[in-house]
Amino acid sequence: ALRKRPDLCLLDINMPGSGVGAAWEITARLPETKVVMLTASADDHHLFASLRAGASGYLLKDIDPERLGHALTDVMAGEAAIPRTLVTRLFEDFRDRSARRRQVVADDVRGQLTSREWEVLELLRQGLTTAQMAKRLVLSQATVRSHVAAVLKKLRVRDRDAAVRLFEER
């Protein structure tokens, strides 16, 4: 992608090296490039991880081949491409995570957290282990530990429990 600089990348969740990881890298390094996941996985964790990574679409491989071209054209026109069955899950997730959504981020250090760090902080709040977070986010455990370390440093706290307490105080 870096060499060819495509307008659109079509990725699979289970591609070698992680499709979600590739989506993160592509959207970070080539913000003009649209990323669409084309996968057999209707798993919520894969869907949410892909969208958080910057994907503009998440299509299932059982899509009608004639519809695929239209969906990709729509993405290039600035729209999202997600099957209606998965859109419902997005709404449910949005509603369920109200504590994070309602949080007011002041101009203090909390405002410096990246979207990925907010996500890690939310998973810490849920009590997930590093291994569980890695699986949910489709990342390596080492990468999760790096994100946790960044959260602790930015929040100026010593450990995960202190970060969660600070998060819940707001």
Side-chain angles (χ1 to χ4, degrees), residues 125-142:
R125 191 187 67 75
Q126 293 174 22
L128 271 64
T129 66
T130 299
Q132 291 167 326
M133 285 190 274
K135 184 176 179 181
R136 182 166 302 178
L137 298 173
V138 193
L139 297 173
S140 72
Q141 289 187 39

Side-chain angles (χ1 to χ4, degrees), residues 10-23 36-43 45-47 50 58-61 135 138:
L10 198 56
L11 306 176
D12 190 337
I13 288 290
N14 295 316
M15 62 185 274
S18 171
V20 173
V36 174
M37 306 307 283
L38 180 63
T39 183
S41 175
D43 181 79
H45 300 302
H46 289 147
L47 168 65
S50 297
Y58 192 94
L59 301 171
L60 300 176
K61 287 185 176 180
K135 184 176 179 181
V138 193

Side-chain angles (χ1 to χ4, degrees), residues 44-56:
D44 285 355
H45 300 302
H46 289 147
L47 168 65
F48 299 138
S50 297
L51 297 178
R52 288 180 192 112
S56 298

Side-chain angles (χ1 to χ4, degrees), residues 1-160:
L2 288 173
R3 276 185 300 204
K4 300 290 184 179
R5 301 203 176 277
D7 294 326
L8 182 130
C9 287
L10 198 56
L11 306 176
D12 190 337
I13 288 290
N14 295 316
M15 62 185 274
S18 171
V20 173
W24 269 101
E25 289 296 321
I26 292 167
T27 58
R29 295 180 184 203
L30 302 171
E32 308 84 28
T33 299
K34 305 287 185 181
V35 171
V36 174
M37 306 307 283
L38 180 63
T39 183
S41 175
D43 181 79
D44 285 355
H45 300 302
H46 289 147
L47 168 65
F48 299 138
S50 297
L51 297 178
R52 288 180 192 112
S56 298
Y58 192 94
L59 301 171
L60 300 176
K61 287 185 176 180
D62 64 0
I63 188 172
D64 179 347
E66 290 184 23
R67 177 68 191 118
L68 179 60
H70 295 292
L72 298 178
T73 300
D74 291 346
V75 167
M76 292 307 301
E79 296 181 20
I82 302 173
R84 289 181 183 164
T85 56
L86 299 181
V87 170
T88 301
R89 295 181 191 172
L90 291 174
F91 278 99
E92 290 169 359
D93 181 67
F94 186 81
R95 290 182 192 127
D96 288 346
R97 297 179 65 208
S98 60
R100 156 115 195 281
R101 304 265 184 232
R102 286 192 312 246
Q103 178 155 354
V104 177
V105 180
D107 290 333
D108 64 5
V109 70
R110 280 172 266 254
Q112 296 176 19
L113 295 180
T114 65
S115 60
R116 179 61 91 178
E117 290 163 352
W118 273 115
E119 186 174 13
V120 167
L121 183 56
E122 170 63 20
L123 296 176
L124 286 172
R125 191 187 67 75
Q126 293 174 22
L128 271 64
T129 66
T130 299
Q132 291 167 326
M133 285 190 274
K135 184 176 179 181
R136 182 166 302 178
L137 298 173
V138 193
L139 297 173
S140 72
Q141 289 187 39
T143 300
V144 170
R145 283 190 289 275
S146 294
H147 288 303
V148 170
V151 167
L152 299 180
K153 182 178 179 181
K154 289 180 180 182
L155 294 180
R156 299 181 186 143
V157 295
R158 293 179 2 167
D159 57 34
R160 294 171 179 220

